[in-house]
Amino acid sequence: SQKIEQNSEALNIQEGKTATLTCNYTNYSPAYLQWYRQDPGRGPVFLLLIRENEKEKRKERLKVTFDTTLKQSLFHITASQPADSATYLCALARSQAGTALIFGKGTTLSVSS
Amino acid sequence: NAGVTQTPKFRVLKTGQSMTLLCAQDMNHEYMYWYRQDPGMGLRLIHYSVGEGTTAKGEVPDGYNVSRLKKQNFLLGLESAAPSQTSVYFCASSLRSGGLGTEAFFGQGTRLTVV
């Protein structure tokens, strides 16, 4: 079955630095991969989607890369701010049909000022 | 625009009791999902539906049943609650993507405690 691993449970960085989060997957070749943000007591919120034929996707201070050879996605937040502190989840489709998402356990990012 | 609404937000059940969690979406989405989230386990898919009248099992379906009688509603039932079902439950919905992927919209969650 598919397996998703987010390497770090927690990441602490200083304001202004770039945060880099890693998502690895096995036993699967997904057509796309997604990243979500989750704040305490709230549901996840979609951030970015990257497809297998895309190497990189950007949105404001966010950047996602997708390396299908390494089976890895990197999620970057540049010029990080304390407001970026949250848990970040990567997700991919449960099957080639893409009918449901499975999630990694998440990385909790803390940005200190 | 409400998005995805879950009812109730909190509930305490005694072991053996039954209950139904309601999820409603107003975005005309074809797909709907139920997840549970536990510390250290992340979000795990319980059941999902790709359209009205159809449901399918996810990763952890045992002890739960679902129904999708109307496109906008997805119900999650616990017939005989167990302490192991203490969790935060999230409902989500998305458009049919044809394998290309679309974002999922999540509700605010239901915190269920089984004593």
Side-chain angles (χ1 to χ4, degrees):
Chain A
S1 62
Q2 305 93 336
K3 187 175 179 182
I4 305 175
E5 288 184 348
Q6 293 189 245
N7 288 10
S8 302
E9 285 190 10
L11 180 63
N12 301 304
I13 63 169
Q14 282 195 313
E15 183 175 9
K17 301 293 186 182
T18 296
T20 299
L21 285 64
T22 304
C23 177
N24 295 292
Y25 58 92
T26 58
N27 301 330
Y28 190 42
S29 295
Y32 60 87
L33 189 145
Q34 301 186 17
W35 284 88
Y36 288 77
R37 169 181 172 144
Q38 186 175 24
D39 292 287
R42 308 291 294 272
V45 175
F46 172 82
L47 295 175
L48 283 166
L49 179 152
I50 186 165
R51 296 197 168 90
E52 60 180 342
N53 60 346
E54 299 173 317
K55 296 295 184 186
E56 181 180 297
K57 182 78 71 78
R58 291 175 186 262
K59 178 182 177 182
E60 298 174 349
R61 293 184 296 110
L62 309 180
K63 185 178 84 171
V64 173
T65 63
F66 193 12
D67 188 325
T68 55
T69 301
L70 292 178
K71 294 186 181 294
Q72 182 181 82
S73 175
L74 298 179
F75 177 79
H76 306 274
I77 306 175
T78 58
S80 59
Q81 305 166 359
D84 295 326
S85 298
T87 296
Y88 293 86
L89 309 170
C90 72
L92 50 81
R94 187 166 176 261
S95 69
Q96 291 290 353
T99 51
L101 292 171
I102 55 172
F103 286 82
K105 294 181 181 178
T107 297
T108 299
L109 174 66
S110 296
V111 182
S112 56
S113 56
Chain B
N1 190 354
V4 178
T5 303
Q6 293 182 230
T7 309
K9 292 183 174 56
F10 302 94
R11 185 73 184 270
V12 178
L13 281 182
K14 293 183 179 179
T15 297
Q17 286 186 319
S18 63
M19 77 163 294
T20 300
L21 283 68
L22 172 64
C23 177
Q25 54 94 3
D26 61 1
M27 296 172 282
N28 202 34
H29 286 169
E30 292 87 358
Y31 295 172
M32 295 187 75
Y33 320 91
W34 276 107
Y35 292 89
R36 60 178 289 174
Q37 188 171 39
D38 303 290
M41 299 297 293
L43 280 163
R44 291 182 292 170
L45 182 66
I46 305 172
H47 287 279
Y48 63 99
S49 169
V50 299
E52 184 178 324
T54 69
T55 62
K57 293 180 180 180
E59 302 169 273
V60 289
D62 294 341
Y64 304 95
N65 56 75
V66 288
S67 64
R68 183 111 180 259
L69 299 180
K70 293 183 178 181
K71 186 177 184 179
Q72 64 268 33
N73 295 336
F74 195 28
L75 279 64
L76 178 71
L78 286 73
E79 290 187 348
S80 179
S84 61
Q85 294 177 304
T86 293
S87 187
V88 180
Y89 292 85
F90 286 101
C91 175
S93 70
S94 67
L95 288 168
R96 180 186 295 123
S97 68
L100 295 178
T102 59
E103 67 178 284
F105 292 81
F106 282 80
Q108 77 278 27
T110 295
R111 186 173 295 275
L112 175 67
T113 302
V114 183
V115 298

mmCIF file of all heavy atoms in Angstrom, chain B residues 67-101:
data_model
loop_
_atom_site.group_PDB
_atom_site.id
_atom_site.type_symbol
_atom_site.label_atom_id
_atom_site.label_comp_id
_atom_site.label_asym_id
_atom_site.label_seq_id
_atom_site.Cartn_x
_atom_site.Cartn_y
_atom_site.Cartn_z
ATOM 1 N N SER B 67 -23.587 6.900 4.687
ATOM 2 C CA SER B 67 -24.629 6.958 3.658
ATOM 3 C C SER B 67 -24.562 8.298 2.948
ATOM 4 O O SER B 67 -24.248 9.327 3.560
ATOM 5 C CB SER B 67 -26.017 6.737 4.265
ATOM 6 O OG SER B 67 -26.336 7.785 5.160
ATOM 7 N N ARG B 68 -24.878 8.262 1.659
ATOM 8 C CA ARG B 68 -24.884 9.481 0.841
ATOM 9 C C ARG B 68 -26.173 9.463 0.026
ATOM 10 O O ARG B 68 -26.187 9.166 -1.159
ATOM 11 C CB ARG B 68 -23.666 9.508 -0.087
ATOM 12 C CG ARG B 68 -23.585 10.798 -0.926
ATOM 13 C CD ARG B 68 -22.446 11.642 -0.509
ATOM 14 N NE ARG B 68 -22.362 12.867 -1.302
ATOM 15 C CZ ARG B 68 -21.501 13.028 -2.303
ATOM 16 N NH1 ARG B 68 -20.665 12.044 -2.639
ATOM 17 N NH2 ARG B 68 -21.466 14.171 -2.954
ATOM 18 N N LEU B 69 -27.262 9.787 0.672
ATOM 19 C CA LEU B 69 -28.570 9.780 0.028
ATOM 20 C C LEU B 69 -28.788 11.029 -0.814
ATOM 21 O O LEU B 69 -29.525 11.000 -1.809
ATOM 22 C CB LEU B 69 -29.679 9.638 1.079
ATOM 23 C CG LEU B 69 -29.619 8.354 1.915
ATOM 24 C CD1 LEU B 69 -30.758 8.334 2.928
ATOM 25 C CD2 LEU B 69 -29.690 7.119 1.016
ATOM 26 N N LYS B 70 -28.176 12.122 -0.406
ATOM 27 C CA LYS B 70 -28.247 13.363 -1.170
ATOM 28 C C LYS B 70 -26.831 13.818 -1.496
ATOM 29 O O LYS B 70 -25.908 13.595 -0.712
ATOM 30 C CB LYS B 70 -28.963 14.451 -0.364
ATOM 31 C CG LYS B 70 -30.431 14.193 -0.109
ATOM 32 C CD LYS B 70 -31.046 15.374 0.639
ATOM 33 C CE LYS B 70 -32.524 15.159 0.868
ATOM 34 N NZ LYS B 70 -33.133 16.308 1.578
ATOM 35 N N LYS B 71 -26.666 14.449 -2.611
ATOM 36 C CA LYS B 71 -25.337 14.856 -3.054
ATOM 37 C C LYS B 71 -24.648 15.755 -2.033
ATOM 38 O O LYS B 71 -23.434 15.678 -1.851
ATOM 39 C CB LYS B 71 -25.438 15.587 -4.397
ATOM 40 C CG LYS B 71 -24.096 15.923 -5.020
ATOM 41 C CD LYS B 71 -24.282 16.585 -6.380
ATOM 42 C CE LYS B 71 -22.943 16.843 -7.043
ATOM 43 N NZ LYS B 71 -23.112 17.465 -8.389
ATOM 44 N N GLN B 72 -25.415 16.598 -1.361
ATOM 45 C CA GLN B 72 -24.792 17.571 -0.480
ATOM 46 C C GLN B 72 -24.513 17.043 0.919
ATOM 47 O O GLN B 72 -23.844 17.723 1.705
ATOM 48 C CB GLN B 72 -25.678 18.821 -0.386
ATOM 49 C CG GLN B 72 -27.050 18.592 0.239
ATOM 50 C CD GLN B 72 -28.106 18.279 -0.807
ATOM 51 O OE1 GLN B 72 -27.829 17.668 -1.828
ATOM 52 N NE2 GLN B 72 -29.339 18.709 -0.535
ATOM 53 N N ASN B 73 -25.001 15.840 1.248
ATOM 54 C CA ASN B 73 -24.840 15.335 2.610
ATOM 55 C C ASN B 73 -24.105 14.002 2.641
ATOM 56 O O ASN B 73 -24.330 13.130 1.796
ATOM 57 C CB ASN B 73 -26.207 15.138 3.279
ATOM 58 C CG ASN B 73 -26.947 16.436 3.467
ATOM 59 O OD1 ASN B 73 -26.349 17.503 3.536
ATOM 60 N ND2 ASN B 73 -28.268 16.358 3.556
ATOM 61 N N PHE B 74 -23.272 13.829 3.664
ATOM 62 C CA PHE B 74 -22.550 12.573 3.856
ATOM 63 C C PHE B 74 -22.583 12.273 5.344
ATOM 64 O O PHE B 74 -22.077 13.054 6.140
ATOM 65 C CB PHE B 74 -21.114 12.719 3.352
ATOM 66 C CG PHE B 74 -20.367 11.432 3.159
ATOM 67 C CD1 PHE B 74 -21.018 10.240 2.859
ATOM 68 C CD2 PHE B 74 -18.973 11.405 3.228
ATOM 69 C CE1 PHE B 74 -20.318 9.059 2.650
ATOM 70 C CE2 PHE B 74 -18.259 10.232 3.011
ATOM 71 C CZ PHE B 74 -18.935 9.058 2.725
ATOM 72 N N LEU B 75 -23.219 11.176 5.714
ATOM 73 C CA LEU B 75 -23.419 10.841 7.107
ATOM 74 C C LEU B 75 -22.460 9.740 7.537
ATOM 75 O O LEU B 75 -22.253 8.761 6.812
ATOM 76 C CB LEU B 75 -24.855 10.368 7.347
ATOM 77 C CG LEU B 75 -25.934 11.435 7.501
ATOM 78 C CD1 LEU B 75 -26.103 12.254 6.232
ATOM 79 C CD2 LEU B 75 -27.266 10.808 7.897
ATOM 80 N N LEU B 76 -21.918 9.895 8.724
ATOM 81 C CA LEU B 76 -21.041 8.886 9.305
ATOM 82 C C LEU B 76 -21.701 8.357 10.567
ATOM 83 O O LEU B 76 -22.004 9.132 11.476
ATOM 84 C CB LEU B 76 -19.679 9.479 9.661
ATOM 85 C CG LEU B 76 -18.680 8.532 10.330
ATOM 86 C CD1 LEU B 76 -18.172 7.496 9.325
ATOM 87 C CD2 LEU B 76 -17.496 9.323 10.909
ATOM 88 N N GLY B 77 -21.916 7.050 10.623
ATOM 89 C CA GLY B 77 -22.579 6.451 11.764
ATOM 90 C C GLY B 77 -21.661 5.551 12.570
ATOM 91 O O GLY B 77 -20.804 4.859 12.018
ATOM 92 N N LEU B 78 -21.854 5.630 13.882
ATOM 93 C CA LEU B 78 -21.190 4.707 14.796
ATOM 94 C C LEU B 78 -22.313 3.908 15.445
ATOM 95 O O LEU B 78 -23.144 4.464 16.170
ATOM 96 C CB LEU B 78 -20.406 5.438 15.880
ATOM 97 C CG LEU B 78 -19.091 6.117 15.503
ATOM 98 C CD1 LEU B 78 -19.319 7.381 14.692
ATOM 99 C CD2 LEU B 78 -18.282 6.421 16.753
ATOM 100 N N GLU B 79 -22.374 2.619 15.170
ATOM 101 C CA GLU B 79 -23.480 1.809 15.672
ATOM 102 C C GLU B 79 -23.324 1.481 17.154
ATOM 103 O O GLU B 79 -24.293 1.481 17.907
ATOM 104 C CB GLU B 79 -23.594 0.531 14.855
ATOM 105 C CG GLU B 79 -24.080 0.769 13.434
ATOM 106 C CD GLU B 79 -24.345 -0.530 12.703
ATOM 107 O OE1 GLU B 79 -23.937 -1.593 13.214
ATOM 108 O OE2 GLU B 79 -24.959 -0.478 11.616
ATOM 109 N N SER B 80 -22.102 1.190 17.575
ATOM 110 C CA SER B 80 -21.830 0.842 18.968
ATOM 111 C C SER B 80 -20.461 1.420 19.320
ATOM 112 O O SER B 80 -19.431 0.800 19.068
ATOM 113 C CB SER B 80 -21.840 -0.673 19.154
ATOM 114 O OG SER B 80 -21.563 -1.018 20.495
ATOM 115 N N ALA B 81 -20.471 2.626 19.863
ATOM 116 C CA ALA B 81 -19.222 3.361 20.066
ATOM 117 C C ALA B 81 -18.288 2.646 21.035
ATOM 118 O O ALA B 81 -18.720 2.046 22.030
ATOM 119 C CB ALA B 81 -19.530 4.764 20.572
ATOM 120 N N ALA B 82 -16.996 2.741 20.720
ATOM 121 C CA ALA B 82 -15.946 2.169 21.563
ATOM 122 C C ALA B 82 -14.939 3.263 21.917
ATOM 123 O O ALA B 82 -14.774 4.220 21.146
ATOM 124 C CB ALA B 82 -15.244 1.035 20.825
ATOM 125 N N PRO B 83 -14.249 3.140 23.049
ATOM 126 C CA PRO B 83 -13.254 4.158 23.410
ATOM 127 C C PRO B 83 -12.205 4.390 22.330
ATOM 128 O O PRO B 83 -11.696 5.508 22.201
ATOM 129 C CB PRO B 83 -12.634 3.578 24.688
ATOM 130 C CG PRO B 83 -13.734 2.770 25.296
ATOM 131 C CD PRO B 83 -14.449 2.155 24.125
ATOM 132 N N SER B 84 -11.909 3.352 21.527
ATOM 133 C CA SER B 84 -10.922 3.499 20.449
ATOM 134 C C SER B 84 -11.408 4.455 19.350
ATOM 135 O O SER B 84 -10.611 4.859 18.493
ATOM 136 C CB SER B 84 -10.607 2.141 19.827
ATOM 137 O OG SER B 84 -11.777 1.564 19.270
ATOM 138 N N GLN B 85 -12.690 4.795 19.375
ATOM 139 C CA GLN B 85 -13.223 5.722 18.387
ATOM 140 C C GLN B 85 -13.185 7.166 18.871
ATOM 141 O O GLN B 85 -13.659 8.074 18.176
ATOM 142 C CB GLN B 85 -14.645 5.317 17.990
ATOM 143 C CG GLN B 85 -14.670 3.983 17.255
ATOM 144 C CD GLN B 85 -16.077 3.522 16.913
ATOM 145 O OE1 GLN B 85 -16.937 3.400 17.796
ATOM 146 N NE2 GLN B 85 -16.324 3.270 15.644
ATOM 147 N N THR B 86 -12.625 7.384 20.034
ATOM 148 C CA THR B 86 -12.363 8.748 20.496
ATOM 149 C C THR B 86 -11.360 9.385 19.548
ATOM 150 O O THR B 86 -10.268 8.864 19.337
ATOM 151 C CB THR B 86 -11.793 8.733 21.926
ATOM 152 O OG1 THR B 86 -12.793 8.261 22.828
ATOM 153 C CG2 THR B 86 -11.346 10.126 22.352
ATOM 154 N N SER B 87 -11.766 10.507 18.955
ATOM 155 C CA SER B 87 -10.937 11.100 17.914
ATOM 156 C C SER B 87 -11.551 12.429 17.492
ATOM 157 O O SER B 87 -12.622 12.823 17.960
ATOM 158 C CB SER B 87 -10.863 10.157 16.700
ATOM 159 O OG SER B 87 -9.946 10.635 15.739
ATOM 160 N N VAL B 88 -10.848 13.112 16.592
ATOM 161 C CA VAL B 88 -11.426 14.264 15.907
ATOM 162 C C VAL B 88 -11.756 13.812 14.487
ATOM 163 O O VAL B 88 -10.894 13.279 13.779
ATOM 164 C CB VAL B 88 -10.457 15.458 15.872
ATOM 165 C CG1 VAL B 88 -11.119 16.626 15.143
ATOM 166 C CG2 VAL B 88 -10.067 15.867 17.286
ATOM 167 N N TYR B 89 -13.002 14.020 14.101
ATOM 168 C CA TYR B 89 -13.471 13.577 12.789
ATOM 169 C C TYR B 89 -13.613 14.774 11.859
ATOM 170 O O TYR B 89 -14.202 15.787 12.218
ATOM 171 C CB TYR B 89 -14.811 12.856 12.935
ATOM 172 C CG TYR B 89 -14.676 11.543 13.663
ATOM 173 C CD1 TYR B 89 -14.699 11.483 15.053
ATOM 174 C CD2 TYR B 89 -14.498 10.358 12.949
ATOM 175 C CE1 TYR B 89 -14.537 10.274 15.723
ATOM 176 C CE2 TYR B 89 -14.342 9.147 13.611
ATOM 177 C CZ TYR B 89 -14.356 9.114 14.991
ATOM 178 O OH TYR B 89 -14.198 7.920 15.643
ATOM 179 N N PHE B 90 -13.052 14.610 10.667
ATOM 180 C CA PHE B 90 -13.149 15.655 9.661
ATOM 181 C C PHE B 90 -13.862 15.140 8.425
ATOM 182 O O PHE B 90 -13.568 14.048 7.931
ATOM 183 C CB PHE B 90 -11.754 16.147 9.247
ATOM 184 C CG PHE B 90 -11.090 17.003 10.277
ATOM 185 C CD1 PHE B 90 -10.121 16.475 11.109
ATOM 186 C CD2 PHE B 90 -11.421 18.342 10.410
ATOM 187 C CE1 PHE B 90 -9.496 17.248 12.065
ATOM 188 C CE2 PHE B 90 -10.814 19.137 11.362
ATOM 189 C CZ PHE B 90 -9.844 18.580 12.188
ATOM 190 N N CYS B 91 -14.752 15.955 7.933
ATOM 191 C CA CYS B 91 -15.394 15.702 6.653
ATOM 192 C C CYS B 91 -14.737 16.615 5.622
ATOM 193 O O CYS B 91 -14.302 17.730 5.956
ATOM 194 C CB CYS B 91 -16.885 15.997 6.750
ATOM 195 S SG CYS B 91 -17.774 15.848 5.193
ATOM 196 N N ALA B 92 -14.672 16.149 4.393
ATOM 197 C CA ALA B 92 -14.114 16.965 3.318
ATOM 198 C C ALA B 92 -14.876 16.688 2.028
ATOM 199 O O ALA B 92 -15.550 15.661 1.899
ATOM 200 C CB ALA B 92 -12.625 16.666 3.123
ATOM 201 N N SER B 93 -14.758 17.613 1.089
ATOM 202 C CA SER B 93 -15.393 17.412 -0.208
ATOM 203 C C SER B 93 -14.498 17.982 -1.292
ATOM 204 O O SER B 93 -13.636 18.832 -1.033
ATOM 205 C CB SER B 93 -16.774 18.072 -0.249
ATOM 206 O OG SER B 93 -16.662 19.486 -0.256
ATOM 207 N N SER B 94 -14.689 17.494 -2.511
ATOM 208 C CA SER B 94 -13.930 18.014 -3.639
ATOM 209 C C SER B 94 -14.694 17.751 -4.919
ATOM 210 O O SER B 94 -15.599 16.905 -4.981
ATOM 211 C CB SER B 94 -12.538 17.373 -3.707
ATOM 212 O OG SER B 94 -12.622 15.995 -4.020
ATOM 213 N N LEU B 95 -14.309 18.472 -5.955
ATOM 214 C CA LEU B 95 -14.890 18.240 -7.271
ATOM 215 C C LEU B 95 -14.328 16.947 -7.854
ATOM 216 O O LEU B 95 -13.253 16.487 -7.471
ATOM 217 C CB LEU B 95 -14.534 19.399 -8.208
ATOM 218 C CG LEU B 95 -15.244 20.725 -7.959
ATOM 219 C CD1 LEU B 95 -14.573 21.828 -8.763
ATOM 220 C CD2 LEU B 95 -16.716 20.612 -8.333
ATOM 221 N N ARG B 96 -15.037 16.364 -8.788
ATOM 222 C CA ARG B 96 -14.506 15.241 -9.533
ATOM 223 C C ARG B 96 -13.308 15.749 -10.323
ATOM 224 O O ARG B 96 -13.371 16.779 -10.978
ATOM 225 C CB ARG B 96 -15.556 14.688 -10.494
ATOM 226 C CG ARG B 96 -15.059 13.499 -11.309
ATOM 227 C CD ARG B 96 -16.078 13.082 -12.346
ATOM 228 N NE ARG B 96 -17.298 12.595 -11.742
ATOM 229 C CZ ARG B 96 -18.497 13.109 -11.990
ATOM 230 N NH1 ARG B 96 -18.618 14.134 -12.812
ATOM 231 N NH2 ARG B 96 -19.563 12.612 -11.424
ATOM 232 N N SER B 97 -12.181 15.036 -10.245
ATOM 233 C CA SER B 97 -10.958 15.571 -10.834
ATOM 234 C C SER B 97 -10.497 14.822 -12.057
ATOM 235 O O SER B 97 -9.593 15.274 -12.742
ATOM 236 C CB SER B 97 -9.845 15.543 -9.784
ATOM 237 O OG SER B 97 -9.486 14.200 -9.492
ATOM 238 N N GLY B 98 -11.063 13.649 -12.316
ATOM 239 C CA GLY B 98 -10.601 12.857 -13.447
ATOM 240 C C GLY B 98 -9.155 12.442 -13.312
ATOM 241 O O GLY B 98 -8.453 12.281 -14.311
ATOM 242 N N GLY B 99 -8.675 12.296 -12.077
ATOM 243 C CA GLY B 99 -7.302 11.869 -11.864
ATOM 244 C C GLY B 99 -6.300 13.006 -11.872
ATOM 245 O O GLY B 99 -5.118 12.796 -11.607
ATOM 246 N N LEU B 100 -6.765 14.228 -12.149
ATOM 247 C CA LEU B 100 -5.838 15.361 -12.211
ATOM 248 C C LEU B 100 -5.670 16.042 -10.868
ATOM 249 O O LEU B 100 -4.762 16.833 -10.688
ATOM 250 C CB LEU B 100 -6.339 16.375 -13.244
ATOM 251 C CG LEU B 100 -6.362 15.883 -14.690
ATOM 252 C CD1 LEU B 100 -6.928 16.964 -15.601
ATOM 253 C CD2 LEU B 100 -4.976 15.472 -15.149
ATOM 254 N N GLY B 101 -6.579 15.757 -9.955
ATOM 255 C CA GLY B 101 -6.453 16.317 -8.619
ATOM 256 C C GLY B 101 -7.099 17.676 -8.476
ATOM 257 O O GLY B 101 -6.887 18.565 -9.300
#
